[in-house]
Amino acid sequence: MSTRKQEFGARAPSAAASAWSHVRLHVVTGKGGTGKSTVAAALALALASHGRNVLLCEVEGRQGIARMFDVDPLPYEERRIASGLPRADGLPGHVHALHIDPESALMEYLAMYYKLGRAGRALDRFGVIEFATTIAPGVRDVLLTGKVFEAVQRNSRNKGATRYDAVVLDAPPTGRIAQFLNVNGELAGLAKVGPIKSQADTVMTLFRSPRTLVHLVTVLEEMPVQETADGIAELRSVGLPIGGVVVNMVRPRDLAAADLAAARAGTLDRARVAADLESVGVAHDPALLDGLLAEAADHAERRALEDAQREVVQGLGVPIFELAREPAGIDLGSLYDLAAELREGGLG
Amino acid sequence: MASRPRSRTGPRTTGSPGTHEPPVLDVDALLDDPGTGIVVCTGSGGVGKTTTSAALALRAAERGRKVVVLTIDPARRLAQSMGIEELDNTPRPVQGVDTAAGGRLDAMMLDMKRTFDEVVLSQATPEKARQILENPFYVALSSSFAGTQEYMAMEKLGQIHRAAQADGSYDLIVVDTPPSRSALDFLDAPERLSSFLDGRFIRLLLAPARGPARMMTAGLSLVTGALTKVLGAQVLRDMQTFVTAFDTLFGGFRARAEKTFALLQNERTAFVVVAAPEPDALREAAYFVDRLSEDAMPLAGLVVNRASPSPTGALSADEAMAAASRLRDADPSSLTAGLLRLHADRSRLVEREARLRSRFTAAHPDVATTVVPALAGDVHDLEGLRQVGALLAGG
């Protein structure tokens, strides 16, 4: 692992990244299958150092946080779930988690802002809560983002609640992120005035401010990269601040450039490989040699495609953070490895 | 809906119980069977559903079926090569399909809002339709309500199916499903709509318009009072106007939703669950398989996409890594060390994927499965789709 970290994480922290220390809300999005939840979790671990408290929120009802951190399914309640990644010079902080569902968010909102009493229960009985959270357009997203807002900007209404140094949101996928965060737009035409409208306005003020950043997770394949580019354009068009692109699951770089070219051309030195294998006592036969050379050719082809997509990502004009692919899959230990890679890259 | 008789359970192929090797999904047998009228591809986002449905449709067409494929959100270049980058909500013939076997292929990309508008226009008087189409609640509902896309995909499937029944234009419909938050949204959408239509809240909103004063109970005025306080009076008024205008369509919508649900349960329908060899995607696939069986929906099998290609040779990952580090000690830039490390990396990936698949099979031993190795590049033309089709069929 240590050599990989050098290869992937050791780029100089970008100027943009070091200017991000004041950011209170990190929104992490990505196309399905790119590992956005993993990256969100790793980012929360990376941010939680020096006794800082970080809240990791999920809003899609998947209980992904509970699975990643190997804890019981999360209720609508903030829970401390892990120690952050320590720095050499200090204590770790803590990662807390919150699973936000729209029904609970609505009930809490009503209780916090309106003393509805009996009417609140009547709303539930008449199916209004269900209507509002499943059918009424846009309301679901307003409730989910509203709770995230509340966690970032704690006020006196939520007595005794933890104040967080940063909040990381495991957000809906890239294709839906601008719509999700642009709660104003979603409500436009529905609520032109009234309390819901002013709530949405306040939330948007935070989302559009320098205290918020939206990070996009991608892998170096054509479709996810295209979606990332589209997502960035869409976010920019509604005035939402872009953080970085996290390039996830980057293939290992075990071959030098010249060897990659030779592998693609089929001109790798077969006799030399055979001699090398013999020198370290690996029994080889033509099948193994063919296999190694074919695997190299296949790898070289994929690396070339990755490089082409990396150029596209570099053209997007945002800081890039690369994370190596974990061949054995993601467990709690590898989340900390990824957190360390993010931090070395300057994020967190 | 719980006590419905089950039309068909289990896969179409024979299983081998007692092992963790699943029965093989025979894709060609499925596509060639004239009894297969609808193939629905489903699974979580990012697993290659769209490519899989296009590849299945092309393969069926080139094996002689008259096929239409309904896609949701294809990659731009794939859409271009199939001639469906225009969103006009009508199936168009795909150029370049081999029609020697007597089949053909049409394709279309779903326009969710337009499908919804068409339903409204076909169900309401022109004046009422205009009133609905202009209401801000309708605009939001038809373009952004989570579930509308799922429902509209089903609506379009129903439309194409009825048309094909009437004029024999197609004998196989392949449907891609929307990239839902969860694959299950797609099955729940019709029921969600029905429960919306039957909800007490809707009846409550309709009550003043229908007039009977006895409906104005104490509970109701409490609720409208609370809603006005939270939403503001204008929102409530807009909502009421919308629901009243929409009211006449509700019956028709419910009937259509129920018909589509029944169509999905028909034995001529075959569900293909698509997954990648990743824990989340396979977990979602497992939920989906269970859900299909609960709802008596006919499952054809599982497609595991993007499998890592197996390494060749008997050298284990650990042996390869040990040899690599010895070579690197002597020469840090050793080519052979690099090759051995790549070999180890691939072996570990393949081991992990096999473990994940075997876990799925242990819990669902009867689900016929086909494994499709990952291609190096993205698929954006018919040749690529043919290649995927051949891999799906095990070739």
Side-chain angles (χ1 to χ4, degrees):
Chain A
M1 263 338 287
S2 58
T3 51
R4 279 221 186 140
K5 256 180 235 159
Q6 278 162 18
E7 283 159 11
F8 286 94
R11 45 180 61 214
S14 64
S18 52
W20 286 348
S21 52
H22 60 280
V23 171
R24 301 285 311 281
L25 173 61
H26 293 269
V27 179
V28 179
T29 182
K31 183 176 160 53
T34 58
K36 81 177 161 67
S37 300
T38 310
V39 172
L43 178 57
L45 289 171
L47 291 167
S49 63
H50 292 120
R52 284 158 58 97
N53 282 311
V54 176
L55 181 69
L56 173 62
C57 303
E58 69 181 337
V59 292
E60 295 182 286
R62 287 220 201 95
Q63 290 290 351
I65 298 178
R67 271 195 297 272
M68 280 185 285
F69 286 90
D70 209 4
V71 295
D72 288 338
L74 298 166
Y76 184 77
E77 184 189 291
E78 290 152 37
R79 287 211 169 150
R80 204 162 96 174
I81 54 163
S83 296
L85 178 72
R87 286 184 190 271
D89 57 347
L91 292 166
H94 293 288
V95 174
H96 305 244
L98 174 64
H99 177 261
I100 306 178
D101 68 277
E103 294 79 18
S104 309
L106 179 56
M107 294 308 272
E108 186 192 39
Y109 176 79
L110 291 176
M112 218 184 270
Y113 287 88
Y114 302 92
K115 304 280 176 273
L116 289 179
R118 211 154 69 81
R121 287 191 295 280
L123 287 178
D124 201 13
R125 210 173 60 240
F126 273 87
V128 178
I129 301 294
E130 196 203 342
F131 174 87
T133 53
T134 61
I135 311 284
V139 171
R140 190 184 176 89
D141 291 350
V142 173
L143 290 166
L144 297 173
T145 51
K147 178 60 190 174
V148 173
F149 171 83
E150 191 275 326
V152 176
Q153 210 131 300
R154 286 263 135 103
N155 64 29
S156 55
R157 284 178 200 267
N158 196 347
K159 289 190 189 68
T162 310
R163 290 183 180 247
Y164 295 102
D165 298 287
V167 174
V168 177
L169 171 62
D170 179 2
T174 315
R176 226 174 74 69
I177 189 64
Q179 189 191 36
F180 176 77
L181 294 175
N182 189 20
V183 281
N184 261 347
E186 274 202 81
L187 281 179
L190 289 185
K192 293 184 187 75
V193 289
I196 285 250
K197 168 70 176 154
S198 40
Q199 159 84 1
D201 282 344
T202 327
V203 172
M204 276 319 285
T205 308
L206 168 70
F207 286 179
R208 290 209 172 109
S209 78
R211 286 172 300 157
T212 297
L213 282 180
V214 184
H215 307 289
L216 299 97
V217 183
T218 189
V219 291
L220 291 176
E221 288 169 24
E222 202 174 318
M223 276 257 278
V225 167
Q226 181 60 48
E227 265 193 40
T228 302
D230 294 347
I232 288 177
E234 231 183 310
L235 289 164
R236 281 190 177 140
S237 75
V238 291
L240 290 160
I242 314 286
V245 169
V246 179
V247 174
N248 198 13
M249 299 189 238
V250 177
R251 283 172 206 284
R253 296 176 185 182
D254 290 318
L255 297 188
D259 291 337
L260 281 175
R264 292 191 78 187
T267 55
L268 285 175
D269 188 346
R270 187 186 171 102
R272 171 146 167 244
V273 174
D276 281 348
L277 289 176
E278 245 157 61
S279 76
V280 288
V282 173
H284 65 86
D285 53 18
L288 179 63
L289 276 177
D290 288 343
L292 289 176
L293 297 181
E295 283 164 30
D298 187 58
H299 173 77
E301 192 182 341
R302 284 162 209 257
R303 279 283 303 277
L305 289 162
E306 270 194 9
D307 289 344
Q309 291 304 317
R310 184 179 283 106
E311 271 177 41
V312 178
V313 174
Q314 280 161 350
L316 295 173
V318 296
I320 300 168
F321 306 90
E322 295 206 3
L323 296 175
R325 184 175 69 183
E326 300 276 342
I330 299 295
D331 59 13
L332 191 50
S334 47
L335 280 182
Y336 283 91
D337 288 343
L338 294 175
E341 284 185 62
L342 283 176
R343 191 182 280 169
E344 280 168 44
L347 189 55
Chain B
M1 291 211 176
S3 61
R4 210 181 297 109
R6 298 193 169 191
S7 51
R8 183 175 78 209
T9 50
R12 283 166 195 259
T13 46
T14 50
S16 47
T19 70
H20 285 194
E21 266 311 301
V24 173
L25 173 63
D26 187 340
V27 167
D28 283 342
L30 175 72
L31 297 179
D32 291 347
D33 182 355
T36 308
I38 296 174
V39 172
V40 184
C41 293
T42 186
S44 54
V47 295
K49 251 183 322 208
T50 301
T51 307
T52 303
S53 29
L56 287 172
L58 177 63
R59 188 165 181 90
E62 297 194 330
R63 294 174 68 88
R65 305 287 308 261
K66 290 182 280 179
V67 189
V68 59
V69 58
L70 168 53
T71 73
I72 308 292
D73 192 17
R76 218 163 291 163
R77 282 168 70 187
L78 179 61
Q80 277 165 3
S81 72
M82 294 179 78
I84 52 166
E85 71 272 41
E86 293 298 323
L87 269 170
D88 65 354
N89 234 13
T90 313
R92 300 280 173 210
V94 177
Q95 305 302 320
V97 176
D98 177 3
T99 55
R104 62 194 183 82
L105 176 62
D106 285 5
M108 70 161 276
M109 186 152 74
L110 180 76
D111 180 339
M112 155 172 95
K113 173 139 179 42
R114 191 153 166 171
T115 305
F116 211 147
D117 291 355
E118 284 167 6
V119 175
V120 171
L121 287 165
S122 72
Q123 299 260 303
T125 61
E127 194 208 345
K128 192 143 228 168
R130 194 176 41 80
Q131 219 183 351
I132 293 171
L133 297 182
E134 284 169 4
N135 183 284
F137 267 84
Y138 173 77
V139 173
L141 181 74
S142 61
S143 49
S144 68
F145 162 50
T148 305
Q149 204 178 23
E150 286 81 357
Y151 177 69
M152 288 305 137
M154 292 301 95
E155 172 63 35
K156 199 73 204 176
L157 166 65
Q159 284 176 15
I160 293 179
H161 180 72
R162 279 189 297 278
Q165 294 283 68
D167 62 10
S169 46
Y170 307 112
D171 57 26
L172 178 63
I173 305 170
V174 180
V175 200
D176 179 17
T177 53
S180 308
R181 181 173 48 96
S182 137
L184 305 182
D185 280 3
F186 143 79
L187 277 186
D188 290 330
E191 192 155 321
R192 227 153 134 199
L193 191 86
S194 288
S195 83
F196 166 62
L197 307 179
D198 285 331
R200 299 185 70 181
F201 184 54
I202 292 296
R203 280 183 280 141
L204 182 147
L205 285 174
L206 286 170
R210 282 174 180 162
R214 63 192 163 79
M215 280 293 289
M216 292 299 285
T217 59
L220 178 60
S221 53
L222 247 179
V223 168
T224 42
L227 281 175
T228 310
K229 197 167 160 191
V230 178
L231 294 170
Q234 177 242 335
V235 178
L236 197 62
R237 258 196 318 275
D238 272 352
M239 211 184 318
Q240 229 150 8
T241 318
F242 167 63
V243 170
T244 312
F246 219 65
D247 182 38
T248 45
L249 301 186
F250 282 179
F253 263 80
R254 179 161 40 242
R256 294 164 92 92
E258 279 164 11
K259 246 194 222 154
T260 309
F261 208 79
L263 182 61
L264 293 179
Q265 289 174 321
N266 189 292
E267 61 174 18
R268 289 177 53 80
T269 300
F271 278 85
V272 172
V273 178
V274 185
E278 290 297 327
D280 287 348
L282 280 170
R283 191 179 306 113
E284 197 75 7
Y287 283 136
F288 204 83
V289 164
D290 292 340
R291 178 60 195 276
L292 287 173
S293 111
E294 264 167 47
D295 280 343
M297 305 263 179
L299 170 68
L302 173 74
V303 171
V304 180
N305 259 331
R306 305 184 176 178
S308 301
S310 294
T312 19
L315 192 62
S316 79
D318 289 344
E319 287 166 336
M321 285 306 275
S325 72
R326 260 173 289 151
L327 283 168
R328 279 204 168 172
D329 286 344
D331 170 14
S333 63
S334 161
L335 161 69
T336 308
L339 296 183
L340 288 166
R341 290 172 65 93
L342 284 178
H343 178 81
D345 185 70
R346 186 183 275 208
S347 305
R348 284 184 181 142
L349 273 176
V350 167
E351 269 166 36
R352 166 171 182 264
E353 291 174 7
R355 209 163 47 238
L356 290 167
R357 281 212 315 275
S358 149
R359 203 184 294 166
F360 178 93
T361 304
H364 302 89
D366 295 333
V367 177
T369 303
T370 181
V371 178
V372 179
L375 297 177
D378 283 354
V379 171
H380 23 58
D381 53 18
L382 292 191
E383 202 37 60
L385 289 178
R386 266 183 208 114
Q387 203 185 341
V388 174
L391 291 169
L392 278 163

